[in-house]
Amino acid sequence: MTKTTNYQLNQWAKSDRLMMDDFNADNAKIDAALKANADAMPRILHGSYTGDGADTRTISLPFTPKAVLITTADGQMCSVQSSHTYLRGGIALQEKPAAHNSAIFISVVTDGFQVYKAQPGTNLHTETNTKNTEYVYIAVG
């Protein structure tokens, strides 16, 4: 009996005696290879939420993301109104929240990410949880 090149699976000839143990061994190899492949694939999830105006809000996900990108549903990440700049989106990494000066506006947490209400005090406002504003996100794990 010969074996395949990559996974050493059995390849029978007409004259070979078929054995259940050979099939079970091949199935175990295939199962392990499929699992390793699935574990190596990045998880990507997209969704939306509507801001509730709370100072801090956690958006739960089925995994801890490595990166989260947020924007408003109409695609705005930044706008200027009456000499004030509003940051309404951005990207946060696991170890590097999206922030301007000391105002964090997106951070990655276990099984999700956090967003924040406006942080006034300068001419720059961070707004990723403004009440009744729809936001969209992409999370990569």
Side-chain angles (χ1 to χ4, degrees):
M1 177 179 334
T2 61
K3 304 276 186 181
T4 62
T5 303
N6 296 312
Y7 292 101
Q8 300 301 302
L9 301 175
N10 294 301
Q11 290 194 307
W12 289 273
K14 286 184 180 183
S15 60
D16 291 336
R17 183 171 174 229
L18 299 178
M19 302 292 290
M20 182 177 58
D21 291 344
D22 294 330
F23 282 103
N24 289 342
D26 284 352
N27 285 336
K29 289 176 186 176
I30 292 167
D31 184 73
L34 288 172
K35 175 75 167 110
N37 189 42
D39 289 346
M41 298 292 286
R43 297 180 77 177
I44 300 173
L45 180 68
H46 66 88
S48 65
Y49 66 93
T50 300
D52 63 8
D55 289 340
T56 303
R57 178 176 178 192
T58 300
I59 307 299
S60 296
L61 301 174
F63 60 91
T64 300
K66 294 181 179 170
V68 176
L69 174 66
I70 297 174
T71 185
T72 59
D74 62 3
Q76 283 192 2
M77 289 183 125
C78 180
S79 68
V80 177
Q81 297 173 7
S82 304
S83 75
H84 294 286
T85 301
Y86 295 86
L87 293 177
R88 295 192 169 108
I91 188 165
L93 307 176
Q94 267 184 340
E95 302 297 324
K96 185 147 179 61
H100 184 273
N101 296 330
S102 61
I104 294 173
F105 53 101
I106 308 167
S107 60
V108 172
V109 297
T110 301
D111 293 334
F113 59 94
Q114 286 187 330
V115 293
Y116 303 83
K117 187 175 78 169
Q119 306 278 327
T122 67
N123 285 346
L124 177 69
H125 300 274
T126 59
E127 297 183 345
T128 52
N129 195 35
T130 301
K131 189 170 184 145
N132 298 325
T133 299
E134 185 180 359
Y135 298 89
V136 294
Y137 64 85
I138 296 175
V140 180

